[in-house]
Amino acid sequence: MVSVAVLRLPHGSDLPLPAAATAGAAGLDLPAAVPADAPVVIAPGAYAMVPTGLAIALPEGFEAQVRPRSGLAAKHGVTVLNAPGTVDADYRGELKVILINHGREPFTVERGQRIAQMVVAAVAVPVLTEVSELPETVRGAGGFGSTGR
Ligand SMILES: O=c1ccn([C@H]2C[C@H](O)[C@@H](COP(=O)(O)OP(=O)(O)OP(=O)(O)O)O2)c(=O)[nH]1
Ligand SMILES: [Mg+2]
């Protein structure tokens, strides 16, 4: 368990807090805080930055990842453009979701619609040590399909 402070911003004050859809869900679904009378329409191939009406304070040593919902991807071709989005522990601004429509139809984002999910994860803080050579491995510099299909 990790405690995360959450602030509902004025334009999202009536929206539910991010919630897990089931007891074992890894992600908390994020709502769209677009105006009720002005849904956002994302044309095929276009993307939009969707507000959530939420700000959070993560404890040091944690990040939040903004991940797509598979249902939106499977049914509409809509996903998170920068997936997984990274929310830094020191970020106090509004959480936003960059949605892209890879589908063939315009996609309408309505107020309160669950558009993405937020997964909180521990992050390791790397301490870089510069060296003149790296330890050898069997793989070496092979990558990008080097092991075959
Ligand atoms: O999907 C996202 C990704 C980022 N952010 C917020 C939180 C994050 O802490 C901040 C910066 O994100 P990132 O580091 O990915 O973007 P950047 O282009 O490197 O911006 P910056 O120079 O502000 O770090 O933007 C979101 O609200 N949603
Ligand atoms: Mg950054």
Side-chain angles (χ1 to χ4, degrees):
M1 293 279 202
V2 51
S3 176
V4 178
V6 57
L7 177 69
R8 261 188 285 212
L9 301 171
H11 58 285
S13 58
D14 60 315
L15 295 174
L17 285 178
T22 60
L28 306 183
D29 289 331
L30 294 172
V34 298
D37 57 359
V40 169
V41 179
I42 310 174
Y47 62 89
M49 187 123 94
V50 182
T52 64
L54 297 163
I56 61 172
L58 290 161
E60 223 176 283
F62 288 85
E63 62 160 336
Q65 300 172 3
V66 180
R67 298 199 199 162
R69 292 189 69 205
S70 62
L72 292 182
K75 291 179 197 155
H76 304 285
V78 169
T79 187
V80 174
L81 177 57
N82 57 326
T86 304
V87 180
D88 301 290
D90 57 356
Y91 180 68
R92 297 292 177 270
E94 181 175 16
L95 295 182
K96 294 189 179 168
V97 177
I98 308 170
L99 287 182
I100 182 160
N101 181 2
H102 290 302
R104 296 205 179 117
E105 306 293 331
F107 181 75
T108 302
V109 180
E110 315 259 9
R111 183 170 184 79
Q113 186 175 353
R114 292 173 296 142
I115 47 169
Q117 56 188 319
M118 178 178 84
V119 174
V120 174
V123 283
V125 181
V127 179
L128 298 186
T129 311
E130 193 174 11
V131 294
S132 54
E133 54 186 50
L134 298 172
E136 277 181 28
T137 66
V138 172
R139 173 181 286 276
F144 315 100
S146 67
T147 62
R149 288 187 62 173

